[in-house]
Amino acid sequence: MTLKAVLFDLDNTLLDRNTAFRAYAGQLVRTYAAYQDEEQAQQWTSWLIAADRQGYAPKKQLYAEMLQVIPMRDPHTTVETLLKTWLETFSRHTVIMDGAVETLRRLRARGVKLGLITNGGSRSQQAKIDQAGFRPLFDAILVSDEVSIKKPDPAIFVLAITKLGVLPHHAVYVGDHPTNDVDAAVRAGLQAVWLRGKTPGEPKETGRYRTVDHLNKLEDALFHPYAAW
């Protein structure tokens, strides 16, 4: 078999979303919370990070809960205020995963088509893609909010490879989430590479994915040898 396309997850795969959210959460607390001292600010920042559930908590729910748990400097602060801040400022905290840009460029140099599939809201995800400078590197970008399909639905993977013009067995999906990325891609007929260490758990599918712990090891996993998968 010939590898013709590599598709990627965004958060905690190409972007270090955990690090970015820690910085954002600290800023949010210091901007809006009525904290008494630095220790309390750090405690509330830690609470917010945990409540975010690595980005899987719905934002309206997260900020409604935040208003119940953390006293605000301005008692008139609303969920809409916090959502607006999220949309306008979170992308500024974007952290590119070590080795991401170099890996994408090397794959393009090999003539491999590149795709991106990410769950999330259109505005926030597209802003992060632009902040990272990723857009010119990809042949297809799918954001779940824009196509009304989200991982782990295999249909979003099928849509992506259709846009790239490749068959499933000529494509590999790379992601950090055992279920939403690895298992879902395999069920869609793709091979998968699991970027281990960012999300708890392990994939349930067997035999059709490989594992790396850093993006600088991805090319070895992909090409040595792809035909053996």
Side-chain angles (χ1 to χ4, degrees), residues 68-82:
Q68 292 178 345
V69 172
I70 301 176
M72 298 287 105
R73 292 182 181 179
D74 179 356
H76 298 102
T77 300
T78 64
V79 170
E80 287 69 29
T81 300
L82 299 176

Side-chain angles (χ1 to χ4, degrees), residues 143-158:
V143 179
S144 64
D145 190 43
E146 298 174 357
V147 298
S148 301
I149 315 169
K150 65 185 298 184
K151 299 179 293 182
D153 188 335
I156 197 168
F157 297 91
V158 175

Side-chain angles (χ1 to χ4, degrees), residues 5-6 8 19 21 32 40 61 72 80 105-107 122 136 156 167 178 184 189 206 213 218:
V6 181
F8 289 85
T19 297
F21 191 81
Y32 289 102
Q40 189 174 60
Q61 175 184 314
M72 298 287 105
E80 287 69 29
R105 288 175 176 166
R106 286 196 299 266
L107 289 173
S122 176
I156 197 168
L167 296 173
T206 59
D213 54 18
L218 179 60

